[in-house]
Amino acid sequence: MTTLAVLGAGAKAVAVAAKASVVREMGINPPDVIAVERTGVAANWYAIGGWTDGAHRLGTGPEKDVGFPYRSALVPRRNAELDERMTCYSWQAYLIATGQFADWIDRGRPAPTHRQWGQYLCWVAERIDMEVAHGEVDRIAVDGRRWALHTRDNTIHADALMVTGPGQAERTLLPGNPRVLSIAQFWHRAAQHDRINAERVAMIGGGETAAAMLNELRGHPVSTITVISPQVTLFTRGESYFENSLFSDPTHWTALTLQERRDAIARTDRGVFSSSVQDVLMADDRIRHLRGRVAHAVGRDGQIRLTLSTNRGSEDFETVHGFDLVIDGSGLDALWFTSLFSQDALDLLELGLGGPLGSDRLQEAIGYDLAVEGVAPKLFLPNLAGLNQGPGFPNLSCLGLLSDRVLGAELSPTDTAGGDPARPALRRDDEHQSIR
Ligand SMILES: Cc1cc2nc3c(=O)[nH]c(=O)nc-3n(C[C@H](O)[C@H](O)[C@H](O)COP(=O)(O)OP(=O)(O)OC[C@H]3O[C@@H](n4cnc5c(N)ncnc54)[C@H](O)[C@@H]3O)c2cc1C
C-alpha cells in the first residue's frame, strides 16, 4: 500500500483525504493519506495560524468546497457515484448536519468567516477520520525510494509527498523591530483587539493577504496608509464568469501560451484585490498607493525608512520614505518549503529539474498530476501548479479536481509494474473523461 504524506492539514489535505476515503468506501484502494500538521486541522483559517484573525470572510464562495467542481474522473464508470458520495462532505451537508442550513439560506448565503470555514474543514476531517501526525516538519529528506518527514519527535515515511500552505507568516523585513509587523504579528494584535495607533503606516504588498490586513486596519486609529507594491496601481481582480471558470475548469488552460497564462494569472490572482475589498478601500481617503519594490529598510529616529526601487523604462530609481509603522504583507514565498529540504532532497529535485532550483523552473516542471516531472519519489506541489496546470490548483477553486489529479497519479513504480494485484490502479482523469 502506498502512502501519501501531506505537509499541513489544511484545505488541500482534507480534500484529498476525503476523496481517498470515499474511493476506499467504494472498494478501491487509494493511497493512505497522512497529514503532518504543526498546529491543528485548518489552523491557517484561525487566528492561531497567523494568516487571519478568523473573523474576516472567505473570498471564494463556500460552495467551492472539498468536492468542487463535482466532476470526478477518477474511477471508470463510477464517477457519478463518486460525486454523489462526495456531496456528503459538501458545505451544504455540513450546514445541514450542524443545523445552520436554513439560517444561511435566509441570510442570503453570506460568505463564511475564515473561522467558520475552518470549522467546516475540521468537520470533514473528523467525519472521514483523517489521519493526522502532529508535529512541525523541520526537515524533509529522501530515504531510499521514500520521503522522510522529520518532526522533533517523529519521522514519517511516505511514497509521495504533497506540500501545502503559504509558508510562514512570521517573516519580517526587520526581525525584532517593534515598528515592523509580520503578518502573524499583525493578526495576533487584531485578534487581541489591540488597537494599532500610528500616524503613517506602510503596508507592503498588493495581494489578497495585504488586502485582508488593509480591511482590518481601516478600523484602527491611523492617519495614512500607504500600500507599496511593484505594480503600476492596485488592480481589481477580474471576477466575471469567464475569469472564474478558468479557476474551476482548467481544461483549456494548457492550450494557452505561457505568456497568455501569465497574463491571465496577473489579472485574476497575483497582486490583485477582490472587487468587494477594493470598493471598501477606495472609499477610505487615508489609503494611497506607492509603486516600488522595497530594496532596503532601516530603523532610524523612531521611524522605519524604506528605500523603494522603481523601474522606469530601462532605469531603476531609488526613493526613501519614512513611516511610523510598517506591516510586511508581501506574503507568500513560493519556495518556503525548500528550506526544510536536506541536501540529498535538494540534489534530487535539481537533478529532476535539470538545473538549479528556482521558482520559474519549478513551476514550469509541474506535470498533469501536479507533481514535479522527473522527480521520484513523487513530489506534489499544487501551490506551484497554477502556471502549468490551471490557476485554481493553488487555492480553493477546484479542490475536487486537485484530489483527482493527485490520487490518480501513479504514486510508486509498483503501481505500474504489477505491484499489488488486488489493488485496482487509479488512473488519470483524461483517460476516463469519455467513459463517464
Ligand atoms: C487570509 C487568507 C485568506 C484566503 N482566502 C482565500 C479564499 O477566499 N479563497 C481561496 O481560494 N483562497 C484563499 N486563500 C488562499 C489559501 O491559502 C488557499 O486557498 C488554501 O488555504 C490553501 O490550502 P492549503 O491546504 O494549501 O493550505 P492551508 O489551508 O493554509 O494549510 C496549511 C497547513 O500547513 C501547516 N503547516 C505549515 N508549516 C508546517 C510545518 N512545517 N509542519 C507541519 N505543518 C505545517 C499549517 O499549520 C496549516 O494548517 C486565502 C489565504 C489567506 C492567507
Side-chain angles (χ1 to χ4, degrees):
M1 174 60 75
T2 56
T3 307
L4 167 65
V6 186
L7 196 169
K12 295 191 183 83
V14 174
V16 172
K19 193 154 254 185
S21 154
V22 165
V23 164
R24 188 170 292 113
E25 276 169 22
M26 291 167 66
I28 298 161
N29 283 340
D32 285 335
V33 179
I34 176 166
V36 190
E37 170 58 50
R38 65 173 175 179
T39 313
V41 173
N44 280 0
W45 298 97
Y46 295 88
I48 197 167
W51 291 92
T52 174
D53 60 353
H56 285 264
R57 293 193 182 268
L58 198 66
T60 41
E63 294 92 339
K64 289 199 165 189
D65 54 27
V66 297
F68 189 82
Y70 295 95
R71 267 201 308 256
S72 294
L74 190 60
V75 186
R77 290 176 295 282
R78 296 181 68 191
N79 285 309
E81 179 191 345
L82 175 52
D83 284 338
E84 201 179 316
R85 287 175 182 261
M86 279 302 294
T87 61
C88 296
Y89 304 109
S90 67
W91 168 249
Q92 279 94 335
Y94 162 69
L95 293 180
I96 293 166
T98 53
Q100 304 177 73
F101 187 59
D103 201 53
W104 182 67
I105 294 287
D106 288 345
R107 288 181 189 279
R109 300 187 184 88
T113 62
H114 292 159
R115 191 181 305 112
Q116 288 166 333
W117 182 250
Q119 285 162 349
Y120 158 66
L121 294 175
C122 288
W123 175 82
V124 176
E126 242 173 62
R127 286 199 67 194
I128 59 168
D129 204 11
M130 181 163 117
E131 194 178 350
V132 181
H134 293 279
E136 174 156 9
V137 176
D138 52 25
R139 196 164 68 89
I140 298 173
V142 188
D143 186 359
R145 290 164 63 184
R146 308 187 89 198
W147 292 104
L149 280 72
H150 297 273
T151 66
R152 200 185 57 189
D153 305 319
N154 205 354
T155 300
I156 292 102
H157 288 94
D159 306 290
L161 167 64
M162 177 166 84
V163 178
T164 69
Q168 313 310 337
E170 292 83 11
R171 255 180 358 146
T172 100
L173 281 169
L174 291 176
N177 189 315
R179 290 183 180 274
V180 182
L181 297 183
S182 67
I183 297 167
Q185 285 168 327
F186 175 85
W187 284 119
H188 181 73
R189 284 183 66 168
Q192 306 286 313
H193 304 291
D194 181 2
R195 311 304 288 160
I196 292 174
N197 206 329
E199 283 287 310
R200 281 163 301 165
V201 179
M203 173 72 70
I204 304 174
E208 204 61 48
T209 306
M213 290 194 287
L214 281 172
N215 207 5
E216 167 65 29
L217 199 55
R218 286 186 322 110
H220 293 247
V222 297
S223 301
T224 62
I225 307 168
T226 305
V227 185
I228 298 170
S229 75
Q231 290 95 343
V232 181
T233 186
L234 294 175
F235 289 108
T236 311
R237 172 190 296 153
E239 290 175 358
S240 74
Y241 162 75
F242 300 103
E243 284 121 345
N244 288 342
S245 63
L246 277 180
F247 282 70
S248 305
D249 181 5
T251 311
H252 304 297
W253 184 254
T254 48
L256 305 175
T257 64
L258 270 186
Q259 192 49 48
E260 285 168 337
R261 289 183 226 166
R262 285 202 171 95
D263 287 347
I265 289 173
R267 272 193 60 88
T268 55
D269 198 23
R270 288 285 145 76
V272 286
F273 288 0
S274 62
S275 54
S276 56
V277 172
Q278 188 82 287
D279 286 348
V280 176
L281 300 183
M282 250 180 353
D284 194 324
D285 62 9
R286 293 172 301 168
I287 301 175
R288 69 187 188 108
H289 176 249
L290 193 58
R291 184 180 171 210
R293 224 173 256 287
V294 178
H296 185 61
V298 64
R300 190 177 298 152
D301 306 331
Q303 274 198 336
I304 300 296
R305 288 171 187 238
L306 297 180
T307 305
L308 301 191
S309 159
T310 316
N311 182 270
R312 288 187 201 144
S314 56
E315 284 184 74
D316 277 343
F317 287 86
E318 287 203 338
T319 48
V320 179
H321 307 261
F323 297 98
D324 303 309
L325 182 74
V326 173
I327 301 162
D328 188 354
S330 51
L332 316 181
D333 169 11
L335 300 186
W336 69 272
F337 57 90
T338 56
S339 65
L340 305 177
F341 273 37
S342 63
Q343 193 54 52
D344 57 346
L346 285 174
D347 290 348
L348 183 92
L349 202 50
E350 295 198 336
L351 203 67
L353 291 173
L357 186 61
S359 173
D360 283 352
R361 182 171 267 143
L362 206 46
Q363 289 184 64
E364 287 169 24
I366 304 291
Y368 181 87
D369 58 8
L370 315 184
V372 186
E373 278 174 349
V375 171
K378 285 263 184 213
L379 176 63
F380 297 100
L381 298 178
N383 286 350
L384 288 163
L387 184 68
N388 256 14
Q389 299 303 330
F393 288 114
N395 43 67
L396 305 176
S397 299
C398 56
L399 290 171
L401 184 54
L402 175 148
S403 309
D404 284 7
R405 296 269 184 114
V406 170
L407 292 174
E410 295 156 341
L411 289 184
S412 80
T414 52
D415 285 332
T416 45
D420 175 2
R423 180 181 169 211
L426 296 175
R427 284 190 258 151
R428 292 159 76 119
D429 52 3
D430 54 352
E431 292 165 19
H432 297 289
Q433 216 92 48
S434 55
I435 295 175
R436 218 194 133 167

Short mmCIF file of all heavy atoms in Angstrom, two decimals, residues 197-248:
data_model
loop_
_atom_site.label_atom_id
_atom_site.label_comp_id
_atom_site.label_asym_id
_atom_site.label_seq_id
_atom_site.Cartn_x
_atom_site.Cartn_y
_atom_site.Cartn_z
N ASN A 197 -2.19 52.11 16.70
CA ASN A 197 -2.28 53.55 16.78
C ASN A 197 -1.02 54.14 16.17
O ASN A 197 0.05 54.04 16.76
CB ASN A 197 -2.38 53.92 18.28
CG ASN A 197 -3.07 55.22 18.46
OD1 ASN A 197 -2.99 56.09 17.60
ND2 ASN A 197 -3.77 55.35 19.59
N ALA A 198 -1.11 54.68 14.96
CA ALA A 198 0.10 55.22 14.33
C ALA A 198 -0.30 56.29 13.33
O ALA A 198 -1.41 56.28 12.80
CB ALA A 198 0.86 54.10 13.63
N GLU A 199 0.64 57.19 13.06
CA GLU A 199 0.37 58.24 12.08
C GLU A 199 0.47 57.68 10.66
O GLU A 199 -0.51 57.48 9.99
CB GLU A 199 1.41 59.38 12.24
CG GLU A 199 1.15 60.30 13.42
CD GLU A 199 -0.02 61.21 13.15
OE1 GLU A 199 -0.04 61.85 12.08
OE2 GLU A 199 -0.94 61.28 14.00
N ARG A 200 1.70 57.41 10.27
CA ARG A 200 1.93 56.96 8.89
C ARG A 200 2.26 55.47 8.87
O ARG A 200 3.27 55.04 9.43
CB ARG A 200 3.09 57.74 8.27
CG ARG A 200 2.68 59.14 7.81
CD ARG A 200 3.88 60.01 7.60
NE ARG A 200 4.63 60.11 8.86
CZ ARG A 200 5.87 60.56 8.95
NH1 ARG A 200 6.52 60.91 7.88
NH2 ARG A 200 6.47 60.62 10.12
N VAL A 201 1.38 54.71 8.24
CA VAL A 201 1.57 53.27 8.18
C VAL A 201 1.86 52.86 6.75
O VAL A 201 1.22 53.36 5.81
CB VAL A 201 0.30 52.53 8.68
CG1 VAL A 201 0.47 51.02 8.60
CG2 VAL A 201 -0.04 52.95 10.10
N ALA A 202 2.81 51.95 6.58
CA ALA A 202 3.05 51.38 5.24
C ALA A 202 2.62 49.92 5.25
O ALA A 202 2.90 49.19 6.20
CB ALA A 202 4.53 51.47 4.88
N MET A 203 1.92 49.54 4.20
CA MET A 203 1.55 48.14 4.01
C MET A 203 2.31 47.65 2.79
O MET A 203 2.08 48.14 1.68
CB MET A 203 0.03 48.03 3.78
CG MET A 203 -0.45 46.65 3.42
SD MET A 203 -0.41 45.53 4.81
CE MET A 203 -1.72 46.18 5.84
N ILE A 204 3.20 46.69 2.98
CA ILE A 204 3.96 46.18 1.82
C ILE A 204 3.19 45.02 1.23
O ILE A 204 2.87 44.05 1.92
CB ILE A 204 5.37 45.74 2.25
CG1 ILE A 204 6.11 46.88 2.93
CG2 ILE A 204 6.16 45.23 1.04
CD1 ILE A 204 7.45 46.49 3.50
N GLY A 205 2.88 45.12 -0.06
CA GLY A 205 2.20 44.02 -0.74
C GLY A 205 0.89 44.46 -1.34
O GLY A 205 0.15 45.23 -0.73
N GLY A 206 0.63 43.97 -2.55
CA GLY A 206 -0.60 44.38 -3.24
C GLY A 206 -1.51 43.20 -3.52
O GLY A 206 -2.35 43.27 -4.41
N GLY A 207 -1.34 42.12 -2.76
CA GLY A 207 -2.18 40.94 -3.00
C GLY A 207 -3.25 40.78 -1.95
O GLY A 207 -3.50 41.67 -1.13
N GLU A 208 -3.90 39.63 -1.98
CA GLU A 208 -5.06 39.39 -1.12
C GLU A 208 -4.68 39.36 0.37
O GLU A 208 -5.47 39.76 1.22
CB GLU A 208 -5.72 38.07 -1.54
CG GLU A 208 -7.18 37.95 -1.18
CD GLU A 208 -8.10 39.00 -1.81
OE1 GLU A 208 -8.02 39.26 -3.01
OE2 GLU A 208 -8.90 39.57 -1.06
N THR A 209 -3.46 38.93 0.68
CA THR A 209 -3.02 38.90 2.09
C THR A 209 -2.97 40.33 2.63
O THR A 209 -3.45 40.62 3.73
CB THR A 209 -1.62 38.25 2.20
OG1 THR A 209 -1.68 36.98 1.57
CG2 THR A 209 -1.17 38.08 3.62
N ALA A 210 -2.39 41.24 1.81
CA ALA A 210 -2.32 42.65 2.20
C ALA A 210 -3.73 43.24 2.24
O ALA A 210 -4.05 44.04 3.14
CB ALA A 210 -1.44 43.42 1.23
N ALA A 211 -4.57 42.85 1.28
CA ALA A 211 -5.93 43.41 1.21
C ALA A 211 -6.71 43.08 2.49
O ALA A 211 -7.41 43.94 3.04
CB ALA A 211 -6.66 42.86 0.00
N ALA A 212 -6.57 41.84 2.97
CA ALA A 212 -7.29 41.45 4.19
C ALA A 212 -6.81 42.29 5.38
O ALA A 212 -7.61 42.73 6.21
CB ALA A 212 -7.07 39.97 4.47
N MET A 213 -5.49 42.57 5.41
CA MET A 213 -4.97 43.37 6.53
C MET A 213 -5.41 44.83 6.42
O MET A 213 -5.72 45.47 7.42
CB MET A 213 -3.44 43.24 6.60
CG MET A 213 -3.01 41.85 7.03
SD MET A 213 -1.29 41.75 7.51
CE MET A 213 -0.52 41.86 5.93
N LEU A 214 -5.46 45.34 5.18
CA LEU A 214 -5.93 46.72 4.98
C LEU A 214 -7.37 46.86 5.44
O LEU A 214 -7.75 47.85 6.08
CB LEU A 214 -5.86 47.08 3.49
CG LEU A 214 -4.50 47.46 2.95
CD1 LEU A 214 -4.56 47.59 1.43
CD2 LEU A 214 -4.02 48.77 3.56
N ASN A 215 -8.15 45.85 5.13
CA ASN A 215 -9.56 45.85 5.51
C ASN A 215 -9.69 45.95 7.03
O ASN A 215 -10.53 46.68 7.56
CB ASN A 215 -10.21 44.56 4.99
CG ASN A 215 -11.67 44.74 4.73
OD1 ASN A 215 -12.20 45.85 4.85
ND2 ASN A 215 -12.35 43.67 4.41
N GLU A 216 -8.82 45.23 7.72
CA GLU A 216 -8.83 45.27 9.19
C GLU A 216 -8.30 46.62 9.69
O GLU A 216 -8.89 47.24 10.58
CB GLU A 216 -7.96 44.12 9.71
CG GLU A 216 -7.60 44.18 11.20
CD GLU A 216 -8.81 44.04 12.12
OE1 GLU A 216 -9.79 43.37 11.71
OE2 GLU A 216 -8.77 44.59 13.24
N LEU A 217 -7.24 47.09 9.06
CA LEU A 217 -6.56 48.31 9.51
C LEU A 217 -7.47 49.54 9.43
O LEU A 217 -7.29 50.49 10.19
CB LEU A 217 -5.31 48.51 8.64
CG LEU A 217 -4.20 49.42 9.14
CD1 LEU A 217 -3.70 48.99 10.52
CD2 LEU A 217 -3.05 49.42 8.15
N ARG A 218 -8.42 49.51 8.53
CA ARG A 218 -9.34 50.65 8.37
C ARG A 218 -10.05 51.00 9.67
O ARG A 218 -10.40 52.14 9.91
CB ARG A 218 -10.40 50.33 7.31
CG ARG A 218 -9.88 50.35 5.91
CD ARG A 218 -10.99 50.17 4.89
NE ARG A 218 -11.99 49.21 5.33
CZ ARG A 218 -13.24 49.52 5.67
NH1 ARG A 218 -13.65 50.75 5.62
NH2 ARG A 218 -14.08 48.58 6.06
N GLY A 219 -10.25 49.98 10.50
CA GLY A 219 -10.96 50.22 11.75
C GLY A 219 -10.06 50.71 12.88
O GLY A 219 -10.52 50.83 14.02
N HIS A 220 -8.78 50.95 12.58
CA HIS A 220 -7.84 51.36 13.63
C HIS A 220 -7.49 52.84 13.48
O HIS A 220 -7.56 53.38 12.36
CB HIS A 220 -6.57 50.50 13.53
CG HIS A 220 -6.80 49.06 13.87
ND1 HIS A 220 -6.27 48.45 14.99
CD2 HIS A 220 -7.53 48.10 13.25
CE1 HIS A 220 -6.64 47.18 15.03
NE2 HIS A 220 -7.41 46.94 13.98
N PRO A 221 -7.09 53.48 14.57
CA PRO A 221 -6.79 54.92 14.50
C PRO A 221 -5.44 55.21 13.84
O PRO A 221 -4.45 55.46 14.52
CB PRO A 221 -6.82 55.35 15.97
CG PRO A 221 -6.52 54.12 16.75
CD PRO A 221 -6.98 52.95 15.95
N VAL A 222 -5.40 55.16 12.52
CA VAL A 222 -4.17 55.51 11.80
C VAL A 222 -4.50 56.67 10.85
O VAL A 222 -5.63 56.78 10.37
CB VAL A 222 -3.61 54.30 11.00
CG1 VAL A 222 -3.20 53.17 11.91
CG2 VAL A 222 -4.59 53.80 9.96
N SER A 223 -3.49 57.51 10.60
CA SER A 223 -3.77 58.72 9.79
C SER A 223 -3.67 58.45 8.30
O SER A 223 -4.52 58.88 7.53
CB SER A 223 -2.81 59.85 10.16
OG SER A 223 -2.96 60.14 11.51
N THR A 224 -2.59 57.80 7.88
CA THR A 224 -2.45 57.47 6.45
C THR A 224 -1.94 56.04 6.31
O THR A 224 -1.19 55.55 7.16
CB THR A 224 -1.45 58.40 5.72
OG1 THR A 224 -0.17 58.21 6.32
CG2 THR A 224 -1.85 59.85 5.79
N ILE A 225 -2.39 55.41 5.24
CA ILE A 225 -1.91 54.06 4.96
C ILE A 225 -1.39 54.06 3.52
O ILE A 225 -2.13 54.35 2.58
CB ILE A 225 -3.04 53.00 5.07
CG1 ILE A 225 -3.75 53.11 6.42
CG2 ILE A 225 -2.49 51.60 4.86
CD1 ILE A 225 -5.05 52.30 6.50
N THR A 226 -0.10 53.76 3.37
CA THR A 226 0.49 53.72 2.04
C THR A 226 0.72 52.27 1.66
O THR A 226 1.45 51.54 2.33
CB THR A 226 1.84 54.48 2.03
OG1 THR A 226 1.60 55.80 2.51
CG2 THR A 226 2.44 54.54 0.64
N VAL A 227 0.07 51.87 0.58
CA VAL A 227 0.24 50.49 0.11
C VAL A 227 1.38 50.48 -0.90
O VAL A 227 1.34 51.22 -1.88
CB VAL A 227 -1.05 49.97 -0.57
CG1 VAL A 227 -0.91 48.50 -0.94
CG2 VAL A 227 -2.26 50.18 0.33
N ILE A 228 2.38 49.67 -0.63
CA ILE A 228 3.56 49.64 -1.51
C ILE A 228 3.57 48.33 -2.30
O ILE A 228 3.56 47.25 -1.70
CB ILE A 228 4.86 49.76 -0.67
CG1 ILE A 228 4.86 51.10 0.07
CG2 ILE A 228 6.09 49.60 -1.55
CD1 ILE A 228 5.97 51.23 1.10
N SER A 229 3.56 48.45 -3.60
CA SER A 229 3.65 47.24 -4.43
C SER A 229 4.31 47.61 -5.75
O SER A 229 4.29 48.77 -6.16
CB SER A 229 2.26 46.65 -4.69
OG SER A 229 1.57 47.41 -5.65
N PRO A 230 4.92 46.63 -6.43
CA PRO A 230 5.64 46.96 -7.67
C PRO A 230 4.73 47.28 -8.85
O PRO A 230 5.18 47.85 -9.84
CB PRO A 230 6.45 45.68 -7.97
CG PRO A 230 6.04 44.65 -7.01
CD PRO A 230 5.07 45.23 -6.04
N GLN A 231 3.45 46.92 -8.72
CA GLN A 231 2.55 47.16 -9.85
C GLN A 231 2.28 48.65 -10.06
O GLN A 231 2.44 49.45 -9.15
CB GLN A 231 1.18 46.49 -9.63
CG GLN A 231 1.22 44.98 -9.72
CD GLN A 231 1.37 44.36 -8.34
OE1 GLN A 231 1.76 45.04 -7.40
NE2 GLN A 231 1.10 43.08 -8.23
N VAL A 232 1.81 48.95 -11.27
CA VAL A 232 1.54 50.35 -11.64
C VAL A 232 0.47 50.94 -10.73
O VAL A 232 0.50 52.11 -10.36
CB VAL A 232 1.04 50.40 -13.11
CG1 VAL A 232 0.76 51.82 -13.54
CG2 VAL A 232 2.06 49.73 -14.01
N THR A 233 -0.51 50.12 -10.35
CA THR A 233 -1.57 50.58 -9.46
C THR A 233 -2.13 49.37 -8.71
O THR A 233 -1.63 48.26 -8.86
CB THR A 233 -2.66 51.31 -10.27
OG1 THR A 233 -3.61 51.86 -9.36
CG2 THR A 233 -3.38 50.38 -11.23
N LEU A 234 -3.16 49.60 -7.91
CA LEU A 234 -3.79 48.47 -7.22
C LEU A 234 -4.90 47.94 -8.11
O LEU A 234 -5.94 48.57 -8.26
CB LEU A 234 -4.36 48.93 -5.87
CG LEU A 234 -3.32 49.38 -4.85
CD1 LEU A 234 -4.00 49.93 -3.60
CD2 LEU A 234 -2.40 48.22 -4.47
N PHE A 235 -4.66 46.82 -8.70
CA PHE A 235 -5.62 46.29 -9.66
C PHE A 235 -6.74 45.52 -8.96
O PHE A 235 -6.53 44.91 -7.92
CB PHE A 235 -4.92 45.34 -10.65
CG PHE A 235 -4.03 46.05 -11.62
CD1 PHE A 235 -2.66 45.96 -11.52
CD2 PHE A 235 -4.58 46.82 -12.64
CE1 PHE A 235 -1.83 46.62 -12.42
CE2 PHE A 235 -3.76 47.49 -13.54
CZ PHE A 235 -2.39 47.38 -13.43
N THR A 236 -7.91 45.57 -9.58
CA THR A 236 -9.03 44.78 -9.08
C THR A 236 -9.03 43.45 -9.83
O THR A 236 -8.77 43.41 -11.03
CB THR A 236 -10.36 45.50 -9.38
OG1 THR A 236 -10.22 46.84 -8.96
CG2 THR A 236 -11.51 44.86 -8.65
N ARG A 237 -9.34 42.40 -9.11
CA ARG A 237 -9.37 41.09 -9.74
C ARG A 237 -10.53 40.98 -10.73
O ARG A 237 -11.63 41.46 -10.48
CB ARG A 237 -9.56 40.05 -8.63
CG ARG A 237 -9.80 38.65 -9.15
CD ARG A 237 -10.21 37.72 -8.04
NE ARG A 237 -9.15 37.58 -7.09
CZ ARG A 237 -9.34 37.28 -5.80
NH1 ARG A 237 -10.54 37.12 -5.33
NH2 ARG A 237 -8.33 37.14 -4.99
N GLY A 238 -10.25 40.34 -11.89
CA GLY A 238 -11.33 40.05 -12.84
C GLY A 238 -12.17 38.93 -12.26
O GLY A 238 -11.64 37.88 -11.91
N GLU A 239 -13.46 39.18 -12.11
CA GLU A 239 -14.31 38.19 -11.44
C GLU A 239 -15.54 37.82 -12.25
O GLU A 239 -16.56 37.43 -11.68
CB GLU A 239 -14.73 38.72 -10.05
CG GLU A 239 -13.58 38.77 -9.06
CD GLU A 239 -13.94 39.38 -7.72
OE1 GLU A 239 -15.09 39.81 -7.56
OE2 GLU A 239 -13.06 39.43 -6.85
N SER A 240 -15.46 37.97 -13.57
CA SER A 240 -16.63 37.61 -14.37
C SER A 240 -16.69 36.08 -14.51
O SER A 240 -15.77 35.37 -14.10
CB SER A 240 -16.52 38.22 -15.76
OG SER A 240 -15.56 37.50 -16.50
N TYR A 241 -17.77 35.62 -15.14
CA TYR A 241 -17.91 34.17 -15.37
C TYR A 241 -16.67 33.62 -16.08
O TYR A 241 -16.15 32.57 -15.73
CB TYR A 241 -19.17 33.89 -16.22
CG TYR A 241 -19.13 32.52 -16.85
CD1 TYR A 241 -19.35 31.38 -16.07
CD2 TYR A 241 -18.80 32.36 -18.19
CE1 TYR A 241 -19.26 30.12 -16.64
CE2 TYR A 241 -18.71 31.10 -18.75
CZ TYR A 241 -18.93 29.98 -17.99
OH TYR A 241 -18.83 28.75 -18.52
N PHE A 242 -16.18 34.36 -17.09
CA PHE A 242 -15.09 33.84 -17.92
C PHE A 242 -13.82 33.66 -17.08
O PHE A 242 -13.13 32.67 -17.20
CB PHE A 242 -14.84 34.77 -19.10
CG PHE A 242 -16.07 34.90 -19.96
CD1 PHE A 242 -16.87 36.04 -19.89
CD2 PHE A 242 -16.45 33.87 -20.79
CE1 PHE A 242 -18.01 36.13 -20.66
CE2 PHE A 242 -17.60 33.96 -21.56
CZ PHE A 242 -18.39 35.09 -21.48
N GLU A 243 -13.55 34.64 -16.22
CA GLU A 243 -12.36 34.54 -15.38
C GLU A 243 -12.54 33.44 -14.34
O GLU A 243 -11.66 32.61 -14.14
CB GLU A 243 -12.07 35.88 -14.69
CG GLU A 243 -11.45 36.90 -15.62
CD GLU A 243 -12.28 38.16 -15.74
OE1 GLU A 243 -13.45 38.14 -15.33
OE2 GLU A 243 -11.75 39.17 -16.25
N ASN A 244 -13.71 33.43 -13.69
CA ASN A 244 -13.94 32.42 -12.65
C ASN A 244 -13.86 31.00 -13.21
O ASN A 244 -13.37 30.09 -12.55
CB ASN A 244 -15.32 32.62 -12.00
CG ASN A 244 -15.34 33.85 -11.12
OD1 ASN A 244 -14.29 34.35 -10.74
ND2 ASN A 244 -16.52 34.36 -10.81
N SER A 245 -14.38 30.84 -14.44
CA SER A 245 -14.43 29.48 -14.98
C SER A 245 -13.03 28.93 -15.27
O SER A 245 -12.82 27.73 -15.26
CB SER A 245 -15.32 29.41 -16.22
OG SER A 245 -14.77 30.22 -17.22
N LEU A 246 -12.06 29.83 -15.49
CA LEU A 246 -10.68 29.36 -15.67
C LEU A 246 -10.18 28.66 -14.40
O LEU A 246 -9.36 27.76 -14.45
CB LEU A 246 -9.75 30.56 -15.90
CG LEU A 246 -9.61 31.14 -17.30
CD1 LEU A 246 -8.62 32.30 -17.25
CD2 LEU A 246 -9.12 30.09 -18.28
N PHE A 247 -10.70 29.13 -13.27
CA PHE A 247 -10.28 28.57 -11.98
C PHE A 247 -10.96 27.23 -11.69
O PHE A 247 -10.37 26.33 -11.11
CB PHE A 247 -10.58 29.56 -10.84
CG PHE A 247 -9.58 30.67 -10.76
CD1 PHE A 247 -9.53 31.65 -11.74
CD2 PHE A 247 -8.67 30.74 -9.72
CE1 PHE A 247 -8.59 32.67 -11.70
CE2 PHE A 247 -7.73 31.75 -9.66
CZ PHE A 247 -7.69 32.72 -10.64
N SER A 248 -12.25 27.13 -12.08
CA SER A 248 -12.98 25.90 -11.78
C SER A 248 -12.64 24.80 -12.78
O SER A 248 -12.70 23.61 -12.45
CB SER A 248 -14.49 26.14 -11.86
OG SER A 248 -14.86 27.17 -11.02
#
